[in-house]
Amino acid sequence: MALVEVQVPDIGDFDEVTVIELMVKVGDTVKAEQSLITVESDKASMEIPSSTAGVVTAMRVAMGDKVKQGSVLLVVEAAGAASASAAAPAVATPVAAAPAAAPVTVAAAAVPVASGPVQVFVPDIGDFKDVAVIEVMVKPGDTIKVEQSLITVESDKASMEIPSSHAGVLKELKVKVGDTVNIGDLLAILEGTLAAAAPVAATSAAVVAVASAPAAAPTPVAAAVAAVSAPAHAPGGNTVGLPHASPSVRKFARELGVPLAEVKGSGLKGRITEADVQAFTQAVMSGAAQTKAQAAKAPAATGGGGSELGLIPWPKVDFAKFGPIERKEMGRIKKISGANLLRNAIMIPAVTNHDDADITDLEAFRVSTNKENEKSGVKVTMLAFLIKACVAALKKYPEFNSSLDSSNGGDALVYKNYWHIGFAADTPNGLMVPVIRDCDKKGVLQISQEMGELAKKARDGKLGPAEMTGATFTISSLGGIGGKYFTPIINAPEVAILGVCKSTMEPVWDGKQFVPRLMLPLSLTWDHRVIDGAAAARFNAFLGQILSDFRRVLL
Ligand code: CAO
């Protein structure tokens, strides 16, 4: 058995890095390549693996110690064959095979700068392959300094910030969080400035030198060290904007689905350890603690607003990447109606019942009436008949003409003894809902006339607020356009809305034979807090009866 002193390998330009985590203790049996400690600079953290197998007999460093190349970390009693190789000058020997190369390998891209577009590539990151981008620190339009960190990448042994080789304005980022990158991958395009030329040219030369020394990064340690070395050119730069934890702890947290940013670190300078992640998981599983996502979801379940829904963010897509685009600001009306529709869609437990009404006779009556009244200038519309039919149904089923009283928590119903009907009007500025008042007191002709006037005003953008408020029920008719059924959104604080589509001639069984009948598709959406499914089916059935024989309105 031979005692081997494990030393800090070549860590390039770094004078000192801080020991932030001890991953083994005296008595532990370690395998070759097993991580021993984690060290950290202001730009990267990495785990230092052992190059020999054996039992740890003494620790030579403690948390918070500053170490540099050659510092003895611990003593290992090397086991079997491993001891022979490890007994040599120090474990760091293979690492030292990359003497001067490591310091410059990550020193960013290798493209000489000039004014105009400049490409920034992933520099030499040793023999790390397919490292994951875990943070993007800049965005197009940002002014970038030489060696400013652009992204953070992470392997299972190290996390590191990749600095820019050039100064300039960021035109395009070629990677996003979740991508994996390798040496030489195009990272970004800058509009370069001449000021950056000198340092980058030097870096470029250095990288060429490394490339011509193939043995320069032969071990994981060398690669990890190389990763640390680049930021040494920019001491005092920004610290990593990520939770303070080693790559292995971050990986552990990811596997468990633990939001690391919410874990309190007990390590040096608040560093999060594996034990912290375990403790956090146990606390959440036992119900003693909640993640922020859980806390955000809780109020939504009890009727909280949209901001409390804990929804994932809206996708941000650069559509221009896929083809030419044109951006137009939405109009005021669309913005207002959009906000209302969203609230109503989210907050109302809405259900839609679909049905058909036989309007064969009613349509024949409407057409003949219009012929008779040709000279009056007033066209009787199907929608006017629908309004009258709905008023009759609303009177028979008054909860459809009610609203939830929100002043006392929404547990009372306000029944309205007036029947003001709104109708959706398609206008160049967007959807508007003019209201015809006291439809119970008006005939179909008057309703048709008022509807024509209000629809024109809506299209001309001349509706006053009084003409758009106070409805007790709304009808949205797409009958003049087409379609079969749809699911209209309730116009709160109303509790129901009727959607109407285009009538079509269909074969209907009359008990003896199929006969052609003009059928009108109806879609009734209702608020399940106020109305039950059976009541909705009855409402539709009653509406169908009236429309098939309009004399029932008089009953
Ligand atoms: N089935 C078959 N044909 C129908 C019909 C129906 N249900 N309803 C209307 N029609 C026919 C009419 O007979 C008329 O045909 P003619 O010109 O041959 O007489 C034509 O469609 C136009 O009808 P109309 O002038 O009577 O208009 P309308 O009453 O159907 O609609 C209005 C008026 C203001 C509601 C309508 O212009 C409109 O804006 N509709 C869109 C509403 C909307 O956008 N709803 C969706 C809201 S949810 O996003």
Side-chain angles (χ1 to χ4, degrees):
M1 291 290 173
L3 291 179
V4 178
E5 285 189 331
V6 178
Q7 297 173 2
V8 175
D10 182 357
I11 50 172
D13 282 359
F14 274 103
D15 282 343
E16 287 180 328
V17 286
T18 307
V19 177
I20 53 159
E21 196 177 10
L22 300 174
M23 302 160 96
V24 292
K25 59 184 184 313
V26 171
D28 283 357
T29 300
V30 296
K31 295 181 192 145
E33 305 298 340
Q34 179 178 335
S35 296
L36 301 174
I37 65 165
T38 307
V39 294
E40 189 181 66
S41 74
D42 65 333
K43 292 274 183 183
S45 67
M46 64 167 182
E47 294 170 17
I48 304 280
S50 178
S51 59
T52 189
V55 176
V56 179
T57 58
M59 297 296 293
R60 294 280 190 256
V61 288
M63 295 278 281
D65 283 359
K66 302 273 187 205
V67 294
K68 55 187 179 185
Q69 181 183 350
S71 300
V72 177
L73 297 177
L74 46 79
V75 181
V76 169
E77 190 173 282
S83 65
S85 61
V91 182
T93 302
V95 177
V104 292
T105 49
V106 181
V111 179
V113 105
S115 56
V118 175
Q119 293 178 313
V120 178
F121 297 93
V122 175
D124 185 350
I125 47 175
D127 54 11
F128 279 79
K129 298 258 181 330
D130 298 328
V131 286
V133 177
I134 57 165
E135 191 187 19
V136 172
M137 301 151 105
V138 290
K139 58 181 184 322
D142 284 0
T143 301
I144 309 291
K145 295 185 192 134
V146 177
E147 303 230 347
Q148 179 178 338
S149 297
L150 300 176
I151 60 169
T152 306
V153 295
E154 187 181 81
S155 73
D156 60 341
K157 294 277 185 213
S159 63
M160 62 199 98
E161 295 176 21
I162 304 287
S164 177
S165 52
H166 296 69
V169 174
L170 181 59
K171 288 287 161 206
E172 207 179 330
L173 255 176
K174 294 290 190 184
V175 295
K176 59 183 183 316
V177 170
D179 286 354
T180 50
V181 294
N182 287 290
I183 178 172
D185 284 354
L186 181 59
L187 202 57
I189 297 176
L190 304 183
E191 198 63 48
T193 63
L194 286 168
V200 172
T203 303
S204 173
V207 172
V208 171
V210 172
S212 64
T219 70
V221 176
V225 172
V228 182
S229 60
H233 297 290
N238 293 336
T239 51
V240 181
L242 291 169
H244 205 41
S246 71
S248 61
V249 168
R250 268 204 284 275
K251 186 163 176 261
F252 180 56
R254 257 201 314 272
E255 283 166 0
L256 293 177
V258 168
L260 207 52
E262 295 173 34
V263 178
K264 200 168 167 3
S266 63
L268 191 73
K269 293 188 204 161
R271 189 166 187 84
I272 301 163
T273 65
E274 192 170 315
D276 295 330
V277 175
Q278 275 167 342
F280 182 89
T281 309
Q282 277 162 5
V284 169
M285 295 306 284
S286 68
Q290 269 191 326
T291 62
K292 282 186 183 157
Q294 287 173 323
K297 272 182 194 157
T302 56
S307 61
E308 297 161 337
L309 288 174
L311 301 175
I312 58 169
W314 195 258
K316 277 189 184 167
V317 179
D318 178 8
F319 298 105
K321 273 196 341 202
F322 307 110
I325 59 164
E326 187 187 354
R327 188 187 151 86
K328 278 188 185 167
E329 200 61 32
M330 279 192 4
R332 196 179 64 87
I333 304 233
K334 267 208 181 304
K335 283 182 190 169
I336 294 169
S337 64
N340 279 284
L341 289 165
L342 177 63
R343 180 203 55 206
N344 300 346
I346 289 174
M347 293 185 73
I348 301 174
V351 183
T352 305
N353 282 32
H354 302 290
D355 212 335
D356 292 325
D358 184 340
I359 58 163
T360 316
D361 298 339
L362 186 59
E363 175 62 4
F365 176 64
R366 188 186 76 85
V367 170
S368 68
T369 306
N370 278 339
K371 268 194 188 144
E372 285 163 22
N373 287 333
E374 231 164 358
K375 285 186 188 145
S376 74
V378 178
K379 183 178 155 193
V380 177
T381 66
M382 182 51 70
L383 195 47
F385 282 108
L386 277 162
I387 287 175
K388 280 307 276 185
C390 282
V391 170
L394 293 169
K395 283 190 166 180
K396 188 169 172 75
Y397 301 102
E399 67 267 37
F400 286 80
N401 204 52
S402 73
S403 284
L404 273 168
D405 179 5
S406 55
S407 63
N408 59 354
D411 51 8
L413 277 185
V414 177
Y415 290 85
K416 286 156 268 182
N417 292 323
Y418 53 88
W419 292 266
H420 301 341
I421 308 298
F423 65 97
D426 181 30
T427 81
N429 295 325
L431 178 67
M432 304 198 80
V433 185
V435 179
I436 303 176
R437 297 191 125 67
D438 300 313
C439 293
D440 57 315
K441 297 178 187 143
K442 293 173 182 168
V444 170
L445 269 176
Q446 188 179 348
I447 290 174
S448 294
Q449 184 174 0
E450 282 188 29
M451 193 189 304
E453 289 163 5
L454 286 169
K456 182 171 184 318
K457 272 184 156 182
R459 283 193 286 271
D460 295 345
K462 290 185 177 159
L463 279 179
E467 291 164 313
M468 293 186 284
T469 50
T472 57
F473 182 84
T474 294
I475 302 179
S476 174
S477 173
L478 296 171
I481 304 166
K484 253 307 192 190
Y485 306 96
F486 68 115
T487 53
I489 293 173
I490 293 169
N491 194 15
E494 295 156 42
V495 295
I497 181 169
L498 181 72
V500 182
C501 282
K502 193 176 181 69
S503 58
T504 50
M505 202 56 94
E506 290 175 20
V508 176
W509 186 252
D510 70 357
K512 293 185 195 140
Q513 59 184 339
F514 280 106
V515 289
R517 305 298 294 177
L518 188 63
M519 304 303 288
L520 180 71
L522 304 174
S523 304
L524 180 72
T525 300
W526 39 279
D527 185 335
H528 211 333
R529 292 172 298 181
V530 178
I531 294 159
D532 293 330
R538 283 189 199 106
F539 186 97
N540 265 354
F542 182 70
L543 203 55
Q545 284 170 12
I546 292 177
L547 292 170
S548 66
D549 185 351
F550 216 75
R551 291 171 302 182
R552 290 172 191 266
V553 169
L554 303 170
L555 298 177

